[in-house]
Amino acid sequence: MQVTPELLSRFTLLKPLPRQVLEGLAPHASLARHARREVVVRAGVREDRVCFLFEGRLQGVGHTIDGREVGLYFVEPGDFCGELALFDDNPQPEFVIATAAAAVVFLARNPLREVMLNSSSVSNIVGRKLAERVRQMTEQRTLLGLSNIDQRVCGQLYLLIKGEQRQVESGEIVNPPTHQEIAIMLNISRERVTRAFQALQSRRIVRRDGPGRLVIIDLNSLRRFARGEEEL
Amino acid sequence: MQVTPELLSRFTLLKPLPRQVLEGLAPHASLARHARREVVVRAGVREDRVCFLFEGRLQGVGHTIDGREVGLYFVEPGDFCGELALFDDNPQPEFVIATAAAAVVFLARNPLREVMLNSSSVSNIVGRKLAERVRQMTEQRTLLGLSNIDQRVCGQLYLLIKGEQRQVESGEIVNPPTHQEIAIMLNISRERVTRAFQALQSRRIVRRDGPGRLVIIDLNSLRRFARGEEEL
DNA sequence: AATTGCTTGTGACTCTGGTCACGTCAATTT
DNA sequence: AAATTGACGTGACCAGAGTCACAAGCAATT
């Protein structure tokens, strides 16, 4: 499906690009829809495109040698993934899977790469984003260091809350990941995540609101649990 | 201490740079020695330099909210760290500590940044390196997914063996990390690492040779354990 | 030679998180 | 409407990792 320059400019990565550049990129972009559980980016192959998420939620997933799934990161709308292809020719190290029905824009690797190489401002932006990814992975890895598992879950939930919402007292997570998807992010079992959620729900800190919406009733308490100032 | 262009060209990142560029960078570089356990790069501050390791071993270390140490990556001689400063102005997310007496070259951030921005070949190289870092972190994170802890230790040891040595039947790790340093990389206790090493030593798979040298006697067996084809 | 400090080695106990085996519930398909 | 599927909920059991405590070994320093 055809993509307009306007659509491209909705992404934070591409927004700062001059109109002219976006018009050059648009013909190499295509819109696709992926159902829940579908593979969006495959591991082990040299992907020739970068994936921008428009709607839904994606998850980067690796596999251990014994076949277990390992959750690496979540991708929120407006963000992107598969950007390693812009830097080298090595295969993608992880799968990216839609954890909720997703609308994505695929942008061909080479044209974007050209734009990046010819404009220092663009390579700045892409470089900053990659640096941001490293910070995000570091933060996620640090979560795993917590010995208290409920604390891990609270920390993960807190990471899932968008920055703008963190100021106020309550918030919501749309299209929240399943317990299983959270479990592999935190290296714990699905059942253990369920029990942590039970504890949070019985204390009226979070509440499910239908399938695609998780309401954070008491964000302050969640933050305290995430920081270990109080235990579940 | 003053640094020559020749010294700079010993690093894989800088090696491909034209002689002229290296001469321009050399005045902004300085050589420093760090004792074991010393902090080489501090977390939370905006570092104005990138750190190249010449000799010894470094470890990126994060801290959980409750004060535990989290091992993020090892830096081998020839490699570098603190490179996020080249991409944005945010503070360094993690500490980098010398796990063995180390000789490092600090290269001022801004001159290197200039070189990077003005030469697409240089930004290519830096970008590739950052992408490599992401792959490395992904691989490390995947290790944590293994439920068998001895397997994790074997996998970590295997990662520590330099690529060139992986072809042959035996190898060695110079300046190996302590059990504690391995433990925080794998999210396990120091004692558990010791027990894993005991198992490996009693089977004549590895052997300590003095303080700064770990000999891998039977690399094939180590590989089999790392892959889970056999259990300790 | 003695001291200090760090690393490694080891046993015993505890306890928690994984696993298994269910059941429940809601949404979707047939 | 029935059947299927996938997510969530829950109890029981237990292997195994963490923790604590202490000893031994080794290196560097006094």
Side-chain angles (χ1 to χ4, degrees), chain B residues 160-227:
Chain B
L160 281 168
I161 296 167
K162 291 223 190 296
E164 320 92 60
Q165 295 188 25
R166 292 200 185 149
Q167 313 303 329
V168 292
E169 285 185 14
S170 63
E172 60 172 18
I173 301 173
V174 291
N175 294 322
T178 65
H179 293 179
Q180 174 61 24
E181 284 153 2
I182 294 174
I184 62 174
M185 295 291 290
L186 300 175
N187 242 21
I188 57 182
S189 67
R190 194 270 308 167
E191 292 90 333
R192 193 59 188 77
V193 176
T194 298
R195 292 187 222 271
F197 267 85
Q198 284 305 102
L200 286 171
Q201 276 161 5
S202 72
R203 289 170 192 240
R204 303 289 155 99
I205 294 171
V206 307
R207 174 170 57 84
R208 281 211 81 96
D209 184 23
R213 192 151 169 271
L214 183 70
V215 181
I216 313 294
I217 303 166
D218 187 351
L219 188 50
N220 283 323
S221 291
L222 183 69
R223 196 184 293 114
R224 281 211 311 283
F225 287 122
R227 288 183 184 158

Side-chain angles (χ1 to χ4, degrees), chain A residues 7-222:
Chain A
L7 181 58
L8 290 183
S9 71
R10 302 276 289 267
F11 297 104
T12 52
L13 173 69
L14 303 173
K15 197 188 187 75
L17 296 185
R19 168 82 194 186
Q20 202 181 352
V21 173
L22 291 180
E23 279 171 0
L25 285 176
H28 301 101
S30 66
L31 183 68
R33 296 196 171 274
H34 284 273
R36 183 177 169 68
R37 296 263 116 204
E38 268 185 1
V39 173
V40 179
V41 178
R42 280 164 303 164
V45 301
R46 186 173 154 278
E47 285 281 342
D48 58 349
R49 55 195 194 179
V50 178
C51 169
F52 293 79
L53 179 62
F54 188 62
E55 199 184 290
R57 187 188 300 276
L58 308 180
Q59 182 177 32
V61 177
H63 287 91
T64 62
I65 199 128
D66 61 345
R68 271 171 195 276
E69 284 192 324
V70 175
L72 297 165
Y73 53 84
F74 289 119
V75 183
E76 311 274 336
D79 213 336
F80 62 95
C81 60
E83 76 280 10
L84 289 193
L86 293 174
F87 294 92
D88 61 27
D89 292 335
N90 294 332
Q92 176 76 7
E94 76 271 0
F95 285 93
V96 178
I97 290 167
T99 66
V104 300
V105 173
F106 287 114
L107 193 46
R109 168 206 138 125
N110 287 336
L112 184 53
R113 196 154 196 273
E114 283 302 312
V115 168
M116 181 177 102
L117 295 181
N118 290 327
S119 148
S120 69
S121 80
V122 178
S123 55
N124 265 358
I125 298 169
V126 178
R128 265 203 290 275
K129 268 297 184 180
L130 191 51
E132 193 49 46
R133 160 69 45 90
V134 172
R135 287 177 209 284
Q136 188 186 337
M137 290 180 75
T138 300
E139 196 170 13
Q140 184 72 41
R141 170 63 184 86
T142 302
L143 259 192
L144 299 190
L146 294 169
S147 51
N148 184 319
I149 288 202
D150 293 314
Q151 202 178 340
R152 273 192 225 175
V153 175
C154 292
Q156 181 75 66
L157 278 180
Y158 194 68
L159 286 181
L160 281 168
I161 296 167
K162 291 222 190 293
E164 319 92 60
Q165 295 187 25
R166 293 198 185 151
Q167 313 303 330
V168 293
E169 285 184 14
S170 63
E172 59 171 21
I173 301 172
V174 292
N175 293 322
T178 65
H179 293 180
Q180 174 62 24
E181 284 152 3
I182 294 174
I184 62 174
M185 294 292 289
L186 300 174
N187 241 21
I188 56 182
S189 68
R190 194 268 309 167
E191 292 90 333
R192 191 60 188 76
V193 176
T194 298
R195 292 188 223 272
F197 267 86
Q198 285 304 104
L200 285 172
Q201 276 161 5
S202 71
R203 289 170 191 241
R204 302 290 155 98
I205 294 171
V206 308
R207 175 170 54 84
R208 282 212 81 97
D209 184 24
R213 194 153 168 270
L214 182 71
V215 182
I216 313 294
I217 303 166
D218 185 352
L219 188 49
N220 284 321
S221 291
L222 183 69

Side-chain angles (χ1 to χ4, degrees), chain B residues 81-208:
Chain B
C81 61
E83 76 280 9
L84 290 192
L86 292 173
F87 294 93
D88 60 28
D89 292 335
N90 293 332
Q92 177 75 8
E94 76 271 0
F95 284 91
V96 178
I97 290 167
T99 67
V104 301
V105 173
F106 288 114
L107 193 47
R109 168 206 137 127
N110 286 337
L112 184 53
R113 196 153 196 274
E114 283 303 310
V115 168
M116 182 177 103
L117 294 180
N118 289 327
S119 149
S120 69
S121 80
V122 179
S123 56
N124 264 357
I125 297 169
V126 178
R128 264 202 292 275
K129 268 296 183 178
L130 192 52
E132 193 49 46
R133 160 70 45 91
V134 172
R135 286 179 210 283
Q136 188 187 337
M137 289 181 74
T138 300
E139 195 170 15
Q140 185 72 40
R141 169 65 183 86
T142 303
L143 259 191
L144 300 190
L146 293 168
S147 51
N148 184 320
I149 288 202
D150 294 314
Q151 203 179 339
R152 274 193 225 175
V153 175
C154 293
Q156 181 74 66
L157 278 180
Y158 195 68
L159 286 182
L160 281 168
I161 296 167
K162 291 223 190 296
E164 320 92 60
Q165 295 188 25
R166 292 200 185 149
Q167 313 303 329
V168 292
E169 285 185 14
S170 63
E172 60 172 18
I173 301 173
V174 291
N175 294 322
T178 65
H179 293 179
Q180 174 61 24
E181 284 153 2
I182 294 174
I184 62 174
M185 295 291 290
L186 300 175
N187 242 21
I188 57 182
S189 67
R190 194 270 308 167
E191 292 90 333
R192 193 59 188 77
V193 176
T194 298
R195 292 187 222 271
F197 267 85
Q198 284 305 102
L200 286 171
Q201 276 161 5
S202 72
R203 289 170 192 240
R204 303 289 155 99
I205 294 171
V206 307
R207 174 170 57 84
R208 281 211 81 96

